[in-house]
Amino acid sequence: MASDALPRVVRTRAELRTALASAARPIGLVPTMGALHEGHASLIRRARAENATVLVTIFVNPRQFNDPSDFEKYPRDEATDVRLAGTAGADIVFIPTVDEAYPAGFQTTVRVGALTEPLEGAVRPGHFEGVTTIVAILLGLAGAERAYFGQKDAQQLLVVRRMAGDLGIATEIVACPILREPDGLAMSSRNVRLTPEQRAAAPVLRRALLAARAGYDAGERDGEALRTAMRNVLASEPLAEPEYVSCADTATLRELAHVDGPALLSMAVRFGPVRLIDNEPLA
Ligand code: AMP
């Protein structure tokens, strides 16, 4: 499809099934919550490059919001999203209502175990059950050969990979790198909710991660020293309220006393009501 053509928008499970029945394979799925930015576009472009049909889904999933005001204030702009998705290469955009995503009588929950307990899971109760339930639905509806997820949500990516493996879902889960603003802030739909002062302060997450990364590159292997390096940089920014700072085993997401294998530096930091996350893999 020409990159400036509008994609086909479908809103019901039945319409999606019909659209996909005649779609060229392989199919690449890109699940999103809308308010699309360049980070999402990079996933869609990757899907475009690797598949014959690209399906983007836009659904602000109430089940994964532990904070009702975060759900209400989540930015929504369907017309702009559909255009951006089309420009990046989407053929089909699935935009279900809540009732279409969770039809009458819905009573299934997909819950992944220990991987969902630390980090985001510890501070956002119910979040990952919401994520894995909707992603399982979308993977089931799409029957795609590949599904694309951002490393920005590193724990989500690990949890979805685990779920797909555990449940024997044939879709390949593809990890995509984090896209950043020129000043290092990871692109996020929530960035538009920052005040100008908070926006100016927000690159402190990246600086904190890079400080720990520099320590690691210089030979530091003590987990607490790496966490302290991140905390110290965050403490230099009065508008930043850290929620957690982590140096964890990439396989289990358990905090490390000593880094002797693949590890993940990650953090969640509040700026007033807006919560930002970022991460940096080590080794
Ligand atoms: P969301 O709409 O926030 O649920 O994100 C949809 C997908 O886009 C998820 O797989 C995210 O990890 C991914 N994503 C969000 N922000 C970025 C970014 N800055 N770079 C790369 N991928 C991203």
Side-chain angles (χ1 to χ4, degrees):
M1 159 176 291
S3 66
D4 56 354
L6 272 183
R8 172 164 175 201
V9 174
V10 293
R11 298 183 188 276
T12 67
R13 290 176 172 219
E15 283 169 4
L16 177 62
R17 212 167 286 128
T18 305
L20 291 178
S22 58
R25 306 202 76 100
I27 296 171
L29 166 69
V30 183
T32 81
M33 296 202 300
L36 301 183
H37 50 66
E38 268 302 300
H40 299 109
S42 71
L43 270 58
I44 299 170
R45 283 194 290 266
R46 171 94 178 262
R48 174 78 281 159
E50 297 179 352
N51 300 278
T53 298
V54 175
L55 168 64
V56 172
T57 65
I58 298 177
F59 180 55
V60 185
N61 174 28
R63 290 179 186 237
Q64 74 188 70
F65 284 80
N66 51 305
D67 172 356
S69 126
D70 188 27
F71 175 67
E72 280 155 31
K73 298 213 165 80
Y74 201 82
R76 293 163 169 91
D77 184 352
E78 182 184 305
T80 306
D81 284 346
V82 170
R83 263 198 313 276
L84 190 149
T87 303
D91 299 302
I92 304 168
V93 181
F94 178 47
I95 312 179
T97 59
V98 172
D99 289 342
E100 194 64 35
Y102 305 111
F106 190 91
Q107 50 184 290
T108 299
T109 299
V110 179
R111 194 182 74 80
V112 173
L115 262 184
T116 66
E117 285 164 12
L119 306 177
E120 293 295 291
V123 287
R124 301 188 67 189
H127 169 68
F128 281 117
E129 287 190 6
V131 169
T132 45
T133 301
I134 192 67
V135 171
I137 292 169
L138 294 174
L139 290 171
L141 289 172
E145 276 76 7
R146 303 186 186 89
Y148 296 80
F149 291 86
Q151 175 67 29
K152 159 87 182 345
D153 299 275
Q155 187 174 16
Q156 169 175 283
L157 176 59
L158 291 169
V159 166
V160 166
R161 222 189 250 302
R162 180 84 250 166
M163 173 191 77
D166 288 356
L167 297 182
I169 293 170
T171 307
E172 179 194 349
I173 306 299
V174 182
C176 302
I178 303 177
L179 254 77
R180 299 179 179 282
E181 301 291 351
D183 62 8
L185 176 64
M187 290 181 182
S188 165
S189 304
R190 291 184 174 86
N191 291 351
V192 298
R193 294 185 52 212
L194 297 167
T195 65
E197 294 73 23
Q198 291 166 341
R199 173 63 190 82
V204 73
L205 277 82
R206 180 70 177 149
R207 288 203 303 279
L209 289 164
L210 289 180
R213 155 118 243 154
Y216 176 84
D217 289 342
E220 181 62 76
R221 293 292 181 272
D222 184 78
E224 193 51 29
L226 294 169
R227 287 185 285 272
T228 300
M230 292 188 275
R231 281 190 208 106
N232 286 345
V233 175
L234 293 175
S236 71
E237 177 43 70
L239 294 179
E241 305 160 59
E243 216 169 54
Y244 66 77
V245 158
S246 164
C247 171
D249 183 318
T250 306
T252 63
L253 295 182
R254 294 286 162 205
E255 291 306 312
L256 286 168
H258 187 79
V259 181
D260 55 7
L264 182 73
L265 303 172
S266 67
M267 58 182 59
V269 179
R270 282 188 174 277
F271 292 83
V274 185
R275 188 174 180 281
L276 301 181
I277 59 172
D278 202 350
N279 68 83
E280 171 78 6
L282 294 180

